Amino acid sequence: MLHGIDVASVTSQGEFAYRRDGTLVFDDGLPYAGPGAKDSGPGWVFGGGGGGGRRGGGSDGGKDDAPPTLTFESRFESGNLRKVVQTGPREYDLTLRADRDSNHVQWYYFYVAGTRAGAAYTFNLVNFVKPKSLYNQGLRPLLYSSCAAQVSGVGWRRAGTRVAYFRAGQRHTLTFTVTFDHDNDKCFFAHCYPYTFTDAQMFLTGLHGDRARAATFTRATLCRSLAGNAVDVICISDPPVPLAALGKDDALPDLGGRECVLLTARVHPGETQASWAMQGALDFLTSDCAEARRLRARCVFFVIPMLNPDGVIDGHYRCSLAGQDLNRVWGEPDAARHPEIWHAKDLARRLARAGLRFFCDFHGHSVKRHAFMYGCEPTRDPACRFNPQVDGAVGGAAGVFPRMLSEMCEAFSLPDCDFKVQRSKHTTGRVVVCRELAVQDSYTFEVSFLGGTAGADLVPYHFNLRDIQALGAHFARALLRYLPAPPGEEPLKH
């Protein structure tokens, strides 16, 4: 029994798996049949895809028990919804769009319009592929009500009752029920807080528009994606380091003899919390606080905020437009098929020659709670294998930075960290940078889709946007404690 639903009965009958009887009310492959206005997600202006969905049959929204058929739409930046079949007056089966040329299905982002206040609607997302999900541990979908935003300034919030995730045939189904607060509302649903390519560009442009922050970094285009989108790289330091040398073969900017840090995010498009955490880190690193100033003077930060812009724009969960998981091609990236990783690895290789001290790739995690890290245990020293007693830190030397972060941030869980390298991870960024480029401090930083636990009873709670951005800021602040201070550096005054 999950959230009041007898999963055994509904799966045995197949009722939530995919009802073939019903009325098709949305298909993202069909022409748009509504008004001509272009659409966008909440709070953004984006000129892609048509707005509105195909409206099925239904009443005119009078006082009868059957409300009018909802309108569905996902043809906007980062949107994902393939097809909707209405199976009852207030029940819909939704099929998501798989990543291009792959079987990955997890990210959803769409809106419904034409709601009736006080009416309970059931949504069954019927074609997930992952066998485990945080939806069975308390995770709830995110909802953004256009009416609530306009009337009271409420943004994204958790919504849904009778939430359950279960196997149905060869796939898995997420089901939940929502009672809307407003008539004729336009409500967006998402797996996690959306963060689009446009959001990333607007954020970087905003940093550049702030005179004080703009003095702390330089920005360049590392490369172009398969679809021609810019893959940005920014360099944060004091004084700023020009990036013109990156366009020259095998050249490097002048780092002034300092060590450097390379941070990347969003190689997996559906892990949007990675971008929010990175934004928190960048907000901190470009700020005027004493700790940030000290970090910028001590080392040079290279940041690639969005490694897979095509997948983000296209509403993918894990893959690029080439249909490949870009975090599995670091071993031998192809410059033509994986330009983002080819250039990121080339940058890492150049920085390693100059003194790359620390690498971390930001991710989201769909099964575990809290924030935590994956590292790389030494491959030759048995004494440094996963052992909480080695050097007083989990994971031996590789566990020192995670331990420091755990002491500074309650939402970060040291016991959830793992430093063993599985064979399936040999071609990921953290393992390749560690083993090929000899960077011991090479990690992924994972943020749960759900959140953490609180109190003696370990009650689960959802991370909100402030929590996720704070995790990024704590991560950056922990680097000040971890990275070695140069000779003669005076202690900070608190």
Side-chain angles (χ1 to χ4, degrees):
M1 185 76 69
L2 288 171
H3 300 272
I5 297 176
D6 187 347
V7 173
S9 65
V10 297
T11 55
S12 63
Q13 297 170 13
E15 292 197 2
F16 291 106
Y18 187 80
R19 294 194 182 105
R20 297 189 181 279
D21 57 323
T23 303
L24 180 69
V25 296
F26 173 75
D27 187 325
D28 75 350
L30 295 177
Y32 167 54
K38 290 185 177 180
D39 217 327
S40 67
W44 300 287
V45 177
F46 176 67
R54 290 179 55 85
R55 181 180 296 275
S59 72
D60 61 0
K63 297 298 184 180
D64 54 14
D65 291 335
T69 298
L70 294 173
T71 296
F72 289 79
E73 186 52 75
S74 64
R75 287 169 290 189
F76 49 82
E77 185 179 15
S78 297
N80 189 314
L81 179 63
R82 174 67 181 89
K83 186 182 297 185
V84 180
V85 173
Q86 185 174 10
T87 60
R90 295 188 297 275
E91 186 160 1
Y92 298 86
D93 283 359
L94 287 67
T95 302
L96 304 179
R97 176 167 39 84
D99 292 4
R100 188 172 302 189
D101 297 327
S102 81
N103 193 42
H104 292 288
V105 180
Q106 195 76 18
W107 170 254
Y108 60 88
Y109 182 25
F110 61 89
Y111 74 70
V112 302
T115 62
R116 174 178 290 181
Y121 296 82
T122 297
F123 301 98
N124 310 307
L125 284 64
V126 300
N127 65 322
F128 288 101
V129 296
K130 287 194 172 186
K132 296 181 180 179
S133 173
L134 288 168
Y135 285 109
N136 283 337
Q137 299 184 42
L139 178 63
R140 299 167 69 201
L142 278 161
L143 180 148
Y144 180 100
S145 163
S146 299
C147 288
Q150 183 176 7
V151 172
S152 55
V154 175
W156 287 98
R157 63 179 178 85
R158 298 291 171 176
T161 59
R162 293 169 57 83
V163 179
Y165 185 95
F166 51 87
R167 185 178 181 87
Q170 298 301 311
R171 295 289 179 131
H172 293 76
T173 291
L174 166 65
T175 183
F176 59 91
T177 298
V178 173
T179 301
F180 295 105
D181 297 327
H182 304 275
D183 285 325
N184 297 315
D185 198 357
K186 183 180 186 180
C187 293
F188 293 79
F189 290 91
H191 184 46
C192 192
Y193 297 99
Y195 196 107
T196 65
F197 177 71
T198 300
D199 290 327
Q201 296 299 300
M202 291 176 64
F203 172 69
L204 294 178
T205 300
L207 287 182
H208 193 266
D210 183 313
R211 181 174 298 181
R213 292 181 184 272
T216 67
F217 73 94
T218 51
R219 176 183 177 185
T221 298
L222 179 67
C223 67
R224 292 282 173 176
S225 67
L226 285 180
N229 293 298
V231 178
D232 288 293
V233 58
I234 65 174
C235 181
I236 303 170
S237 64
D238 186 11
V241 173
L243 290 175
L246 290 181
K248 303 175 182 178
D249 290 342
D250 227 28
L252 261 182
D254 182 6
L255 305 182
R258 292 173 291 176
E259 292 184 315
C260 53
V261 172
L262 176 59
L263 305 177
T264 60
R266 210 63 182 283
V267 69
H268 294 150
E271 297 171 5
T272 58
Q273 62 270 59
S275 284
W276 288 111
M278 183 62 80
Q279 181 167 313
L282 292 176
D283 269 330
F284 172 79
L285 289 171
T286 59
S287 72
D288 192 44
C289 76
E291 294 166 300
R293 294 198 306 268
R294 177 63 56 86
L295 267 174
R296 294 195 300 266
R298 186 181 294 181
C299 58
V300 182
F301 289 83
F302 289 83
V303 182
I304 307 174
M306 189 168 283
L307 270 172
N308 189 354
D310 294 350
V312 170
I313 292 170
D314 213 36
H316 286 193
Y317 175 66
R318 197 169 183 89
C319 295
S320 69
L321 289 189
Q324 290 187 275
D325 182 343
L326 293 182
N327 201 34
R328 295 297 185 275
V329 301
W330 276 78
E332 296 182 0
D334 185 284
R337 287 178 57 81
H338 323 118
E340 308 91 342
I341 303 304
W342 191 94
H343 284 276
K345 184 178 180 179
D346 181 63
L347 174 61
R349 179 181 55 79
R350 299 191 205 189
L351 295 178
R353 295 202 321 267
L356 179 58
R357 174 59 187 262
F358 191 101
F359 170 80
C360 190
D361 189 20
F362 284 34
H363 285 258
H365 205 279
S366 63
V367 177
K368 298 171 71 172
R369 298 174 182 171
H370 308 108
F372 55 95
M373 296 180 76
Y374 291 129
C376 300
E377 64 177 357
T379 57
R380 296 181 179 179
D381 185 359
C384 287
R385 292 187 177 275
F386 188 81
N387 182 352
Q389 305 305 318
V390 175
D391 297 330
V394 172
V400 175
F401 175 78
R403 175 170 56 83
M404 289 181 174
L405 181 53
S406 71
E407 293 170 353
M408 301 172 65
C409 178
E410 292 184 359
F412 185 87
S413 171
L414 186 62
D416 283 311
C417 296
D418 195 345
F419 305 91
K420 296 179 180 178
V421 177
Q422 301 170 340
R423 183 174 297 275
S424 62
K425 310 291 184 169
H426 284 186
T427 54
T428 62
R430 69 175 167 96
V431 177
V432 170
V433 170
C434 175
R435 293 185 174 179
E436 289 190 22
L437 305 182
V439 179
Q440 174 181 286
D441 290 315
S442 187
Y443 304 93
T444 59
F445 180 52
E446 304 277 348
V447 179
S448 173
F449 277 93
L450 199 169
T453 54
D457 296 331
L458 301 179
V459 177
Y461 68 92
H462 287 93
F463 285 148
N464 58 34
L465 281 180
R466 183 177 298 178
D467 295 328
I468 299 171
Q469 292 178 78
L471 280 165
H474 282 301
F475 179 96
R477 186 174 284 109
L479 285 171
L480 179 63
R481 181 179 173 189
Y482 178 69
L483 297 175
E489 182 181 87
E490 296 183 1
L492 283 174
K493 296 180 181 179
H494 296 284

